[in-house]
Amino acid sequence: MIQFQYERASTTKAAVSALANNANAKIIAGGTNLVDLMKRNVMAPTKLVDINALPLRNIKQQNGKVIIGALALNSQVADDKLILEKHPLLSKALNAGASAQIRNMATVGGNIMQRTRCSYFYDTALPCNKREPGSGCGALEGVNRMHGIFGTSEQCIAVHPSDMCVALVALDATVVVSGPKGERRIPFEDFHRLPGSQPEKDNTMQKDELIISVEIPDNAFSKNTHYFKVRDRASYAFALVSVAAALDMDGKTIKEARLAMGGVAHKPWRLKEAEKALAGRPANEETFRRAAEIAMQGAKAYKHNAFKLQLGSNVIVEALKNAAGIV
């Protein structure tokens, strides 16, 4: 590991200033992803800015939305009474992620900012355009079982690893960031990027910006929700495919739906056309299979992940059935 400077920021302004003054500085809070990347020499920041002293751990209801501080721990959010009451889908997604020990360290901001777990990204002996732009994508013709089926490019087929983020994009969350020019709000759907020709850019934040909080607007999705995650083992494994499903029901009829997938794209994958197909329809398997068919349109498989095409459809159906309470 290379030598690096360490600074403990006492204010948001100080943290932003430290980022602005050093292009190779990185924020550290729980460190559950960044430290691993430093150990493997995938990332080599010359300065770490510790933000754990900032007052960004609160979870509160304000002006028709729930506001979650960027330093709130994953376990704290998952067990919070306000989250369980208003946004149980988020709690379910958080509890599906990582392990209890990691959830006790990982922060909401860090979860959003975590990087892909693509093995080619992690192995510095292999080509990876995300780690080293222009070196090639080893996964394209390599072992790509865990890789994307939506929104991929010839430069990168990696997927975003978060479970929490799948729920947040389904719930129309907003990320609040602070930079030298003040605060700005980024719709969660626009926060993470598709790889395109610049897979090294994971999101739309500027290098001198810091996540302050996440806002989730009040909604009618507090009753019929489900997070379904298919993985290679029951715990501490990333999703092959996951689905966040939320339904606003009127009897047996779906008034409105929210649907998103994980493990399939470079960003949490919102399924808006499938949501439209569910609205006004009866909650039954026929409706759900039609929505799944729509959701999977445009999916493209690679040598080792063709199974995701059928798996994705099946997981959508099962998540919707569980959310509707008809299993």
Side-chain angles (χ1 to χ4, degrees):
M1 197 185 298
I2 66 166
Q3 291 187 339
F4 58 86
Q5 294 178 310
Y6 172 85
E7 177 178 331
R8 190 171 177 85
S10 57
T11 65
T12 299
K13 184 178 180 180
V16 169
S17 178
L19 292 176
N21 291 330
N22 186 333
N24 202 26
K26 295 294 180 185
I27 294 294
I28 189 167
T32 56
N33 185 210
L34 177 60
V35 173
D36 280 348
L37 293 168
M38 291 173 67
K39 287 179 178 178
R40 290 171 176 260
N41 205 33
V42 175
M43 296 179 68
T46 56
K47 186 174 191 176
L48 293 182
V49 183
D50 187 331
I51 61 168
N52 281 296
L54 304 188
L56 301 175
R57 298 184 187 275
N58 289 343
I59 303 170
K60 61 184 180 181
Q61 173 78 32
Q62 183 175 303
N63 299 327
K65 56 194 172 188
V66 171
I67 302 174
I68 305 170
L71 288 176
L73 301 178
N74 286 191
S75 55
Q76 173 194 353
V77 178
D79 294 339
D80 187 83
K81 290 182 179 179
L82 184 61
I83 299 300
L84 289 168
E85 175 190 349
K86 288 186 168 289
H87 304 295
L89 180 62
L90 176 58
S91 177
K92 293 171 183 177
L94 280 164
N95 280 324
S99 66
Q101 294 90 339
I102 291 176
R103 292 194 295 271
N104 283 336
M105 285 296 296
T107 63
V108 167
N111 191 318
I112 295 170
M113 293 295 290
Q114 69 177 300
R115 309 207 68 186
T116 184
R117 294 318 197 277
C118 171
S119 56
Y120 294 89
F121 175 68
Y122 265 73
D123 191 336
T124 56
L126 298 175
C128 173
N129 287 319
K130 178 177 285 294
R131 186 187 67 250
E132 186 180 346
S135 63
C137 175
L140 274 173
E141 302 296 331
V143 179
N144 44 41
R145 179 173 176 270
M146 299 290 292
H147 290 73
I149 56 174
F150 290 111
T152 58
S153 75
E154 290 300 305
Q155 302 299 314
C156 181
I157 61 173
V159 298
H160 194 269
S162 174
D163 293 294
M164 180 193 77
C165 291
V166 182
L168 288 176
V169 76
L171 294 169
D172 294 310
T174 297
V175 182
V176 182
V177 303
S178 181
K181 297 180 180 180
E183 291 188 4
R184 67 183 181 112
R185 286 165 167 75
I186 308 171
F188 207 90
E189 191 173 7
D190 298 330
F191 184 86
H192 296 99
R193 298 177 67 258
L194 291 178
S197 61
Q198 294 181 297
E200 70 275 13
K201 294 184 177 181
D202 292 343
N203 55 62
T204 56
M205 277 182 65
Q206 301 300 312
K207 290 183 178 180
D208 54 3
E209 289 183 319
L210 169 72
I211 296 176
I212 298 299
S213 63
V214 174
E215 300 176 346
I216 310 175
D218 290 347
N219 56 49
F221 303 111
S222 61
K223 183 179 179 181
N224 296 98
T225 66
H226 192 70
Y227 188 77
F228 193 0
K229 180 178 182 179
V230 176
R231 46 188 160 177
D232 286 326
R233 56 179 182 264
S235 179
Y236 196 32
F238 296 100
L240 291 166
V241 172
S242 65
V243 172
L247 302 173
D248 178 12
M249 305 282 291
D250 182 8
K252 295 183 178 181
T253 301
I254 302 166
K255 293 172 63 177
E256 197 174 4
R258 293 291 182 269
L259 205 59
M261 297 182 79
V264 295
H266 198 259
K267 60 186 289 185
W269 195 251
R270 182 76 178 268
L271 302 170
K272 287 190 172 181
E273 292 305 313
E275 293 173 358
K276 292 176 185 177
L278 290 164
R281 303 295 299 171
N284 58 37
E285 185 152 346
E286 180 183 355
T287 296
F288 299 154
R289 290 210 172 277
R290 174 57 182 154
E293 181 182 330
I294 292 170
M296 296 304 294
Q297 289 176 356
K300 175 187 176 182
Y302 294 86
K303 182 177 180 180
H304 300 288
N305 70 354
F307 69 93
K308 286 193 178 188
L309 301 180
Q310 186 62 56
L311 180 62
S313 179
N314 290 344
V315 174
I316 290 169
V317 172
E318 289 303 310
L320 287 168
K321 287 168 67 175
N322 275 276
I326 63 172
V327 292

